[in-house]
Amino acid sequence: MVRYQPAKLDRTFSALADATRRAILLRLSETPELTVSELAKPFPVSLPNIMKHIGVLADAGLLTRDKTGRSVRCRLSAAPLEEATQWLHRYEKFWTERLDALGH
Amino acid sequence: MVRYQPAKLDRTFSALADATRRAILLRLSETPELTVSELAKPFPVSLPNIMKHIGVLADAGLLTRDKTGRSVRCRLSAAPLEEATQWLHRYEKFWTERLDALGH
């Protein structure tokens, strides 16, 4: 029988499978805290659309939302990215071996 | 304006967002070459279902299929995993900083 890995990784990889969501994470990696409207500004999509993406990222634990009055501030939450990286590291030898073979 | 990253990463992360597909890659990392039926054996799902997952992985460039007669042999193709890891490495400082802070 095959051991299944936790559904958490499903949510993480699924959340990362969208260029707008990756771009939101990238902005939060450059600016530690942004309101939803600040986050939405540079994107050529509607505010409800961005809020949906922010919801997906929050559900995956990739960002935290902090509500003060009418403004919601978002921050990057990197723990799921670390788990995804750990999963990927298992395969690292496959591309390093390939590069080694190309080098010879 | 926000720079978008290539749709290739969408396909890679989307393919990885499923425990059965990750388990298929894991098996191919342990055994370099497996036929579709060998791959399907340990999974508690139907052969057509596994073939669908193999198709998604192949479309994402994560495995290659080689048909000889009636048997199709599958191999891991690690290049997209390397690209995904490179994307994630940008965020590495966020969890190392967090761990450093916990250490103090």
Side-chain angles (χ1 to χ4, degrees):
Chain A
M1 232 26 186
V2 165
R3 262 181 304 118
Y4 280 91
Q5 279 135 33
K8 217 175 159 192
L9 270 178
D10 287 21
R11 274 210 305 278
T12 306
F13 284 129
S14 178
L16 296 179
D18 180 281
T20 304
R21 290 198 289 269
R22 291 196 302 277
I24 290 173
L25 294 180
L26 185 60
R27 287 200 64 212
L28 287 173
S29 75
E30 291 161 351
T31 314
E33 199 173 78
L34 286 167
T35 64
V36 171
S37 37
E38 283 166 345
L39 258 182
K41 224 174 210 173
F43 292 98
V45 292
S46 66
L47 186 62
N49 192 312
I50 286 292
M51 286 173 77
K52 217 168 168 179
H53 284 309
I54 289 173
V56 173
L57 290 168
D59 288 347
L62 286 162
L63 66 74
T64 56
R65 286 177 289 194
D66 187 19
K67 202 175 174 190
T68 324
R70 292 184 64 182
S71 107
V72 177
R73 285 165 303 155
C74 302
R75 293 182 75 90
L76 180 71
S77 165
L81 296 176
E82 184 181 6
E83 283 161 23
T85 306
Q86 278 167 356
W87 184 88
L88 283 159
H89 269 310
R90 196 180 301 186
Y91 299 89
E92 199 157 20
K93 61 173 181 186
F94 291 97
W95 63 80
T96 32
E97 274 166 14
R98 193 169 40 88
L99 290 177
D100 285 352
L102 284 173
H104 288 303
Chain B
M1 231 28 187
V2 165
R3 261 180 307 118
Y4 281 93
Q5 280 135 34
K8 218 174 158 192
L9 270 178
D10 287 22
R11 275 211 304 279
T12 306
F13 284 129
S14 177
L16 296 179
D18 181 281
T20 303
R21 289 198 289 269
R22 291 197 302 276
I24 289 173
L25 294 180
L26 185 59
R27 287 200 65 213
L28 287 173
S29 76
E30 291 162 351
T31 314
E33 198 173 79
L34 286 166
T35 64
V36 170
S37 38
E38 283 166 345
L39 258 182
K41 224 174 206 168
F43 292 97
V45 291
S46 67
L47 185 63
N49 192 311
I50 285 292
M51 286 173 77
K52 217 167 165 179
H53 283 309
I54 289 173
V56 173
L57 290 168
D59 289 346
L62 287 161
L63 66 74
T64 56
R65 287 177 288 193
D66 186 17
K67 203 176 174 192
T68 323
R70 291 184 62 183
S71 106
V72 177
R73 286 165 303 155
C74 302
R75 292 182 75 90
L76 180 71
S77 166
L81 297 176
E82 184 182 5
E83 284 161 23
T85 306
Q86 278 166 357
W87 184 88
L88 282 159
H89 270 310
R90 195 180 301 185
Y91 300 89
E92 198 157 18
K93 62 172 181 189
F94 291 98
W95 64 80
T96 33
E97 274 166 15
R98 191 169 42 88
L99 290 176
D100 285 352
L102 284 172
H104 288 302

